Amino acid sequence: MHNINNIIVYILIVAAVLSFSMGEIIEGIAVLIALMIAVLTSFFTEYNAQKSIESLQRMIFTHAMVVRGGVWQEINASKLVTGDLIFIEEGDSIPADARLIRSMNFACIESALTGESDAVEKDAQALFSEDTGLGDRINMVFAGTSATRGNAHAVVTGTGMSTEVGKITGMLESGIKERTPLSKEMNKLSKILILVALLAGIAVLTAGFMTNHPIEAILHTALILAVAAIPEVMPAVSTMTLSRGMRTMAEHKALVKHLPAVETLGSTNVICTDKTGTLTENQMTVGRIVLTNDRSYTVEGNGYQPVGNILADERAVDLSDDDRLWDIIATSVLCSNAVLKKDEQEYSVIGDPTEGALVVLGAKAGICRESLHAGGWVRIGEMPFDSARKYMITVYEHGETVHAFIKGAPDVLLAMSLQSKEEKERLQDANDHLTEKGLRVLGVGKLNGYSGDGSRASIVSYLDRVDIFGIVGITDPPRNDVREAIGICQQAGIQVKMITGDDPKTASIIAREIGLRDAGVRRSCEKDRGVCPRFA
């Protein structure tokens, strides 16, 4: 409808009618042809873009495990209704908003909804007030997010547009439809053309009456001048220009549904962008390893692609050169549940992104859980990660020996460790250094002398005997092309603002890495929603 809801179009219709009424058939037909070119070009260009988007949407569908007729069955998520009982496990996409009724070591990634890259621990027993922000509703799961650990049963509370992500979509659609800068200028030009045509007509009428010309000749001349003042090809030219821009964006893998949006993008002077998954990979990556023997290593590569060397003094190292390095990497892999998958040329992680970073580190070093299991490592016990404890423990049998591996917050592990005072201070300094650089730090080690059966009781009895191998620094690295893209925007006079829920120090570090000018931090809190985004 917006293709014909335009002042220029209305003027051209009037001009065509006047041309036919004056017997100027060719002129009238020419005006209508120009009008049809503009309208049909716009319609078919947008139609093709809409069909492409619909094709992509048909390729994306989510299944859900639900109880129907007292039996668990898998159905298309679009068939879920409020009140359905669903089952969610590690790696599943959440098909609808739902209230947890039972959870087992359950965590979700909600970055698509809240922007937070860390997994959110869920608890079916928790309660919250009505004004609690989405990120703190730990007894709820939301459509568009995904489960990274554990499993849960939940009752559906909202589907489709009734979900939180659906409400956001509704807010966007219900917003005030503003005209684009080009359409505003076209409207101004249209008014000027109308005024010029009227003035020209009045001038001809005045001159005709003053020179005593026949009234019919005067009116005919005035109408011809008025019609001639209207540039009938202008809508066609502007439409074809925008259509070309739309095709150019499609060549760069960006689909635009409406032609005016192309021109609006060209008029952008400020870009406010989310950090997680937009400026960054949203793929946690181990970048640093610091061992208790005071050796430190840098890990090459970003994201989940297992490509990159482990460097010491900028030279690739062999794991056989340092047994402690092999220990920390192998332990990181064994003390995790994430799985690295390869789909064609793309790598992805099923499970917690932080554990995914450790699994990818192992793959870069040639160590994977499957090969370790094949080599005789058999898991016989586990104490899952808990946000209160801040650590995870797995117990393995290997031959006739039993090993208990632990990973978690460095300060917690240091408090339980057998390390000397010097080693503790060295690890604490390394932890502080990596934290200041915006990295998330994990300690990795084992329970020294463990000889239990893998039960919880036996694990707890050895918690004061932690032998820390070292710490790893994990980051969500910037996308490779982000710095260049931001530089192009800034050279074009476009301001780029980063929006994130990260700690201000971390946000500033990322902002400097990607080349944002004046990478200061401004805080804006929405108390009613419990949301505090930071702007860099």
Side-chain angles (χ1 to χ4, degrees), residues 6 115 295 470 473 482 487:
N6 187 298
R295 293 185 181 179
V482 161

Side-chain angles (χ1 to χ4, degrees), residues 323-359:
D323 291 341
R324 206 68 167 176
L325 179 61
W326 191 94
D327 288 343
I328 193 172
I329 296 176
T331 297
S332 298
V333 172
L334 291 171
C335 195
S336 62
N337 293 315
V339 176
L340 180 65
K341 285 183 58 181
K342 183 180 181 181
D343 184 11
E344 294 182 357
Q345 299 301 317
E346 295 292 327
Y347 286 87
S348 61
V349 163
I350 298 177
D352 185 86
T354 300
E355 290 191 351
L358 300 177
V359 172

Side-chain angles (χ1 to χ4, degrees), residues 40 79 140 143 210 359:
L40 291 178
K79 296 181 180 179
M140 295 285 296
M210 292 178 64
V359 172

Side-chain angles (χ1 to χ4, degrees), residues 204-227:
V204 170
L205 289 173
T206 302
F209 286 129
M210 292 178 64
T211 55
N212 296 319
H213 280 73
I215 185 66
E216 290 185 1
I218 295 172
L219 289 174
H220 190 77
T221 303
L223 288 174
I224 289 175
L225 285 174
V227 172

Side-chain angles (χ1 to χ4, degrees), residues 21 45 82 94 106 178 190 204 252 271 308 312 402 416 420 465 519:
S21 66
T45 303
T82 301
I94 309 300
F106 190 59
E178 293 189 2
S190 302
V204 170
H252 288 80
I271 296 176
V402 179
M416 301 186 295
S420 65
R465 305 181 190 182

Side-chain angles (χ1 to χ4, degrees), residues 88-92 94 100 102-109 118-123 141 146-152 335-338 349-356 379 382-392 407 440:
I88 309 165
E89 60 184 342
E90 182 177 302
D92 287 350
I94 309 300
L100 298 176
R102 184 185 303 164
S103 60
M104 177 71 69
N105 188 32
F106 190 59
C108 292
I109 282 290
D118 291 341
V120 179
E121 300 288 331
K122 297 294 184 176
D123 182 3
V141 290
S146 58
T148 62
R149 187 175 66 246
N151 58 69
C335 195
S336 62
N337 293 315
V349 163
I350 298 177
D352 185 86
T354 300
E355 290 191 351
R379 185 180 295 193
E382 177 181 345
M383 183 179 288
F385 178 85
D386 181 88
S387 56
R389 294 192 300 265
K390 297 184 179 180
Y391 60 79
M392 172 185 180
K407 76 173 190 299
R440 182 181 183 185

Side-chain angles (χ1 to χ4, degrees), residues 62-68 71-75 77 80-81 83-106 108 141 145-147 149-156:
T62 304
H63 289 109
M65 287 295 298
V66 60
V67 173
R68 290 287 170 84
V71 179
W72 285 103
Q73 55 183 284
E74 187 176 68
I75 65 171
L80 286 175
V81 297
D84 272 339
L85 176 63
I86 60 175
F87 175 71
I88 309 165
E89 60 184 342
E90 182 177 302
D92 287 350
S93 295
I94 309 300
D97 286 7
R99 169 67 161 88
L100 298 176
I101 58 174
R102 184 185 303 164
S103 60
M104 177 71 69
N105 188 32
F106 190 59
C108 292
V141 290
T145 63
S146 58
R149 187 175 66 246
N151 58 69
H153 293 79
V155 176
V156 174

